[in-house]
Amino acid sequence: MAVEAPALICSAKGCGDAAVHALLWNNPSLHTPDRRKVWLACDEHREHLEEFLSLRGFHRETVDAHAIPEGAG
């Protein structure tokens, strides 16, 4: 029996759409420089979530949701 991977859902509050982007970030006051946390985003919420993280100096890069680097999370 095949096991399906869990659906990737946008991290924006109240959104249930499929995520197509992974926003990699870290909070330098809490995380080591190489640590990457992940927020998922649909096309509609990508810009908003990137802006939220960027204003705080947390955003590091955005990649395809199916290309999240190993160890990020």
Side-chain angles (χ1 to χ4, degrees), residues 12-13 23 39 43-54:
K13 185 176 182 176
L23 286 63
W39 279 0
D43 281 331
E44 181 180 347
H45 292 111
R46 175 187 176 169
E47 186 176 326
H48 171 73
L49 293 173
E50 283 177 340
E51 183 178 333
F52 180 91
L53 292 170
S54 293

Side-chain angles (χ1 to χ4, degrees), residues 9-15 17 19 38-42 45 49:
I9 304 298
C10 181
S11 299
K13 185 176 182 176
C15 184
D17 291 345
V38 179
W39 279 0
L40 299 171
C42 64
H45 292 111
L49 293 173

